[in-house]
């Protein structure tokens, strides 16, 4: 009954973790976690650092003490290592799955990048179109601005149609990208959980052999009986957990994830389209800035000052200056419009003085200043810039491929795992193998660490024929 509950619990946890993996995940993605050959290597940092102790010699021969292991410890020893090696194979598969899912999600994100680029291009072309229309109010820019408007209008229509089509593609593929990304995160979580379990399993062999050696040393901190009792209690769970891992490795629970292949060709075409769009954006972006500066001339005003007699009793010969400003738009309407504007802002007294000084000369000065300002900016405007927009036929291929992609991604079932066990990154492990309990018990039975289990010789022990930490 107990084993049935354990099996159910472990199967549920691992099925959630690995339900949509890749039994045949592609080799380019991921790399296998380091896998020792033969005896496992105890890694650095696995034990807490201890203060320096008196130097002495403590040599414990573990190489030949396998016969000292109780049957419970020997079984615990062997089954822990079997589980470790099986789970490392499973981790290799999960790492490939995680990398493949995460890469696939990122690739789909490129579609949203294309959509953003199309929106930028559409916005820029609208500004160019409006800027070309506005620039036609400048006489010397009128011809080139009209030609630019004529070229940019069909380009804008083409980009708008492509952007609307891309909006529809993104609306359908964004949920697929988010699902793949969530599955990738869940696969990463599963890998982290199994790595945490493996780090504990790696301590079991040395713990078993040190426990067997302890009884041969007077004043040892622990004895074989207590560790044998722990082994007898946990070993069945270890075996059941390994059975579930083997089912995942050898069965058909982990399907292939070749579903992304049908979309790869389209994505390559999308990459080329995105690069072309970004190059175009740089060019038309500069034209937008140039037209903005040119059209800003239309909102400028140009001024002149003229002297007038302004005597006082203390300074009967005083002369002052009066400044008049006229907008560019008024200047572009010709001499009469300029003169009418000047007259409207002057009193009869000043208007009479200005006419006496020579009104036409001041009007011509305004015309020349406005023309010079416009000409200077016109020299920097690239009216002849290419607004050729690439062919968006590749988008049709995306649209056609979406149904197959939706069907395939719909079969991916690698949900996020609730992290109610932050130390392992995995829930429900207590229902099966209490890995944290194993580690806690090892630490309890060997409070000074596995390299200092003996009171008689407090210096670190050099275990013969066994990998060191």
């Amino acid at each position: 009954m107990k084993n049935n509950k354990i099996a159910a619990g472990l199967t549920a946890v691992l099925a959630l973790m690995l339900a949509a993996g890749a039994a045949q995940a592609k080799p380019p993605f991921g790399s296998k976690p380091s896998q020792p050959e033969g005896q496992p290597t105890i890694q650095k940092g696995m034990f807490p650092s201890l203060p320096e102790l008196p130097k002495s010699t403590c040599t414990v021969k573990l190489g030949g003490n396998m016969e000292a292991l109780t049957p419970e410890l020997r079984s615990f020893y062997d089954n822990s290592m079997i589980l470790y090696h099986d789970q490392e194979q499973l981790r290799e598969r999960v790492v490939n799955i995680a990398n493949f899912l995460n890469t696939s999600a990122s690739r789909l994100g490129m579609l949203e990048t294309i959509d953003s680029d199309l929106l930028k291009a559409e916005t820029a072309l609208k500004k160019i179109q409006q800027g070309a229309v506005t620039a036609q109010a400048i006489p010397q820019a009128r011809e080139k601005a009209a030609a630019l408007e004529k070229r940019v209008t069909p380009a804008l229509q083409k980009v708008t149609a492509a952007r609307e089509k891309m909006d529809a593609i993104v609306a359908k593929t964004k949920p697929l990208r988010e699902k793949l990304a969530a599955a990738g995160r869940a696969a990463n979580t599963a890998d982290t959980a199994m790595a945490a379990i493996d780090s504990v399993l790696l301590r079991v062999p040395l713990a078993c052999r040190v426990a067997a050696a302890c009884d041969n040393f007077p004043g040892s901190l622990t004895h074989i009986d207590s560790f044998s009792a722990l082994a007898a209690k946990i070993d069945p769970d270890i075996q059941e957990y390994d059975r579930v891992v083997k089912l995942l490795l050898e069965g058909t629970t982990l399907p292939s994830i070749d579903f992304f292949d049908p979309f790869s060709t389209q994505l390559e075409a999308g990459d080329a389209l995105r690069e072309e769009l970004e190059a175009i954006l740089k060019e038309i972006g500069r034209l937008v800035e140039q037209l903005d500066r040119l059209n800003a001339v239309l909102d400028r005003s140009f001024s002149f000052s003229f002297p007038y007699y302004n005597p006082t009793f203390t300074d009967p010969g005083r002369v002052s200056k009066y400044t008049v400003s006229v907008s560019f738009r008024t200047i572009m309407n010709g001499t009469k419009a300029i003169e009418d504007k000047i007259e409207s802002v002057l009193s009869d007294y000043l208007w009479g003085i200005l006419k006496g000084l020579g009104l036409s000369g001041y009007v011509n000065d305004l015309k020349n200043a406005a023309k010079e300002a416009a000409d200077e900016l016109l020299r920097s405007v690239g009216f002849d810039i290419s607004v050729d927009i690439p062919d968006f036929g590749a988008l049709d291929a995306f649209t056609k491929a979406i149904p197959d992609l939706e069907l395939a991604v719909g079969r991916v079932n690698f949900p996020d795992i609730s992290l109610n066990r932050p130390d392992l990154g995995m829930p429900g492990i207590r229902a099966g193998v209490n890995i944290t309990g194993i580690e806690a018990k090892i630490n309890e039975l060997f409070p000074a660490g596995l390299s200092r289990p003996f009171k008689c010789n407090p210096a670190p022990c050099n275990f013969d024929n066994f990998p060191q930490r």
Side-chain angles (χ1 to χ4, degrees), residues 60-209:
V60 181
K61 293 192 177 295
L62 296 182
N65 80 327
M66 292 296 288
E67 68 281 357
L69 297 177
T70 64
E72 293 83 2
L73 284 181
R74 184 56 190 260
S75 178
F76 186 36
Y77 180 114
D78 291 340
N79 291 324
S80 294
M81 284 298 92
I82 290 171
L83 173 58
Y84 171 81
H85 286 290
D86 288 345
Q87 189 164 249
E88 282 293 277
Q89 292 183 56
L90 193 58
R91 278 189 67 203
E92 177 185 3
R93 203 166 288 177
V94 169
V95 166
N96 283 336
I97 294 167
N99 289 337
F100 196 89
L101 291 172
N102 291 328
T103 301
S104 299
S106 297
R107 292 287 286 154
L108 279 179
M110 183 265 293
L111 299 178
E112 295 171 46
T113 303
I114 293 176
D115 199 30
S116 295
D117 283 345
L118 284 169
L119 181 59
K120 287 180 184 177
E122 182 183 28
T123 300
L125 289 172
K126 284 180 178 178
K127 288 183 178 179
I128 291 173
Q129 184 186 53
Q130 183 58 48
V133 170
T134 304
Q136 291 175 51
I138 304 172
Q140 57 267 53
R142 190 166 295 141
E143 183 179 348
K144 289 185 177 181
L148 176 60
E149 181 194 3
K150 187 175 181 179
R151 295 197 337 269
V152 82
T153 297
L156 174 58
Q157 293 170 346
K158 187 176 181 181
V159 168
T160 297
R163 193 264 307 155
E164 290 172 350
K165 186 178 292 185
M166 200 70 215
D167 285 349
I169 292 172
V170 167
K172 291 185 176 181
T173 57
K174 183 178 179 180
L176 304 182
R177 174 184 63 76
E178 291 173 344
K179 182 172 184 179
L180 289 172
R185 289 192 298 271
N188 288 333
T189 298
D191 174 52
T192 300
M194 287 189 288
I197 292 171
D198 282 345
S199 70
V200 177
L201 293 174
L202 274 172
R203 299 186 67 187
V204 170
L206 182 56
C208 289
R209 299 175 76 175

Side-chain angles (χ1 to χ4, degrees), residues 288-348:
V288 168
E289 293 175 1
Q290 293 162 4
L291 285 171
D292 282 346
R293 287 196 298 270
L294 175 63
N295 287 324
V297 173
L298 292 169
D299 298 321
R300 282 182 59 183
S301 291
F302 295 84
S303 304
F304 68 91
S305 298
F306 65 92
Y308 65 95
Y309 183 51
N310 187 21
T312 68
F313 288 111
T314 57
D315 186 6
R318 186 177 71 168
V319 175
S320 297
K321 285 189 175 182
Y322 195 87
T323 300
V324 179
S325 296
V326 181
S327 72
F328 183 90
R329 294 178 189 275
T330 299
I331 295 170
M332 291 299 100
N333 288 329
T335 299
K336 187 174 187 311
I338 299 170
E339 291 178 349
D340 289 346
K341 179 63 177 177
I342 294 172
E343 184 179 10
S344 71
V345 299
L346 293 178
S347 65
D348 290 342

